[in-house]
Amino acid sequence: MLFDPKFEQGTLIKRYKRFLADIQLADGSQITIHCPNTGSMRHCLFPGEKVWYSTSDNPKRKYPNTWEQAHNDVGDIIGINTGRANELAAEGIAQGVISELSGYASLRREVKYGSENSRIDLLLEDEHRPNCYIEVKSCTLLEEGQGYFPDAVTTRGQKHLRELMEMVRLGHRAVLLFVVQHSGITSVTAARHIDPDYANLLQQAAQAGVEILAYRAQLSPNSAFLAKSCPVKL
């Protein structure tokens, strides 16, 4: 996807109250921007490093600017906006980049499903194939050269894995898709040291027939798109 206008640049001062961040602009002024990331953002917060933000034309927004990308201290680009992961996944499917998910007639978003009152991120449908339920997760945690998910304990993520396993039992296709929004991550694994229950469920899901995929995003202030798959270590 192309960003028009392209993102503007600032320097991170701090993130606080979960959904806010203060940044400094080139002229020395400071603004508060919205942080669209509910996770811990472990190893994604680098005060003094560059950040990029978008600007909304919605006059009702208290904070019109949204934090989109960040630099870490070694120059990697990190996608902060977790909502972009779903957009990148849908675009990657439509353009045939995610070859494992090609060939369906239609794609729907945020469809209610499952027995635990969930909404699936993406639902692929075709009258000649089983439905394909796709849960998308943004992966941004890099530690010692390895990409991890999640970056905090996630009971919601555990619920999604149970829902996907249920879809397989009902005869559908179920996919967990990690969208890697970090240029330094080349493989993904479960963060057992952070959420061992999630790691165990991920293994159970794979054994039950849930497909586990990961695709890396190529990020810049001008554009973002899924480039290629990367290995998932279970």
Side-chain angles (χ1 to χ4, degrees), residues 118-183:
S118 297
R119 287 182 180 270
I120 195 67
D121 290 321
L122 304 173
L123 174 60
L124 300 179
E125 296 171 298
D126 190 287
E127 62 180 4
H128 303 296
R129 308 174 67 178
N131 289 349
C132 182
Y133 291 80
I134 306 167
E135 184 66 36
V136 180
K137 299 297 183 187
S138 177
C139 178
T140 58
L141 175 58
L142 176 64
E143 292 184 349
E144 298 179 354
Q146 176 64 57
Y148 290 98
F149 184 90
D151 64 1
V153 174
T154 172
T155 55
R156 185 169 178 266
Q158 294 169 28
K159 180 183 79 165
H160 292 156
L161 288 175
R162 293 192 298 269
E163 297 279 44
L164 291 175
M165 285 189 279
E166 181 185 4
M167 292 302 101
V168 173
R169 287 194 295 270
L170 292 175
H172 302 296
R173 188 179 177 195
V175 177
L176 180 66
L177 173 61
F178 292 111
V179 172
V180 178
Q181 292 198 86
H182 192 306
S183 63

Side-chain angles (χ1 to χ4, degrees), residues 11-217:
T11 301
L12 179 63
I13 299 173
K14 63 178 178 179
R15 178 211 190 193
Y16 59 102
K17 293 183 179 179
R18 197 178 187 188
F19 295 108
L20 299 176
D22 287 343
I23 66 172
Q24 184 175 21
L25 304 182
D27 62 4
S29 62
Q30 296 182 12
I31 61 172
T32 299
I33 63 176
H34 171 61
C35 178
N37 191 315
T38 60
S40 72
M41 295 180 64
R42 180 167 169 160
H43 301 323
C44 293
L45 300 171
F46 294 87
E49 295 291 339
K50 291 182 289 187
V51 298
W52 289 269
Y53 63 93
S54 59
T55 302
S56 171
D57 57 6
N58 182 353
K60 296 182 179 180
R61 281 188 53 165
K62 182 178 180 181
Y63 301 101
N65 306 118
T66 298
W67 191 359
E68 297 283 355
Q69 297 174 358
H71 253 185
N72 65 12
D73 54 357
V74 296
D76 294 321
I77 301 177
I78 306 168
I80 298 302
N81 189 342
T82 56
R84 296 284 183 190
N86 288 13
E87 298 174 16
L88 287 165
E91 183 181 79
I93 293 169
Q95 295 180 350
V97 175
I98 309 176
S99 58
E100 298 93 337
L101 302 178
S102 62
Y104 287 84
S106 66
L107 180 153
R108 290 193 288 154
R109 303 191 192 200
E110 296 293 325
V111 179
K112 288 185 177 180
Y113 84 116
S115 59
E116 296 187 53
N117 194 30
S118 297
R119 287 182 180 270
I120 195 67
D121 290 321
L122 304 173
L123 174 60
L124 300 179
E125 296 171 298
D126 190 287
E127 62 180 4
H128 303 296
R129 308 174 67 178
N131 289 349
C132 182
Y133 291 80
I134 306 167
E135 184 66 36
V136 180
K137 299 297 183 187
S138 177
C139 178
T140 58
L141 175 58
L142 176 64
E143 292 184 349
E144 298 179 354
Q146 176 64 57
Y148 290 98
F149 184 90
D151 64 1
V153 174
T154 172
T155 55
R156 185 169 178 266
Q158 294 169 28
K159 180 183 79 165
H160 292 156
L161 288 175
R162 293 192 298 269
E163 297 279 44
L164 291 175
M165 285 189 279
E166 181 185 4
M167 292 302 101
V168 173
R169 287 194 295 270
L170 292 175
H172 302 296
R173 188 179 177 195
V175 177
L176 180 66
L177 173 61
F178 292 111
V179 172
V180 178
Q181 292 198 86
H182 192 306
S183 63
I185 293 176
T186 57
S187 65
V188 179
T189 192
R192 183 172 294 277
H193 59 301
I194 295 174
D195 190 342
D197 291 337
Y198 185 88
N200 291 334
L201 269 175
L202 184 62
Q203 288 185 329
Q204 292 174 29
Q207 293 167 359
V210 176
E211 300 167 54
I212 317 295
L213 304 176
Y215 272 75
R216 298 180 66 197

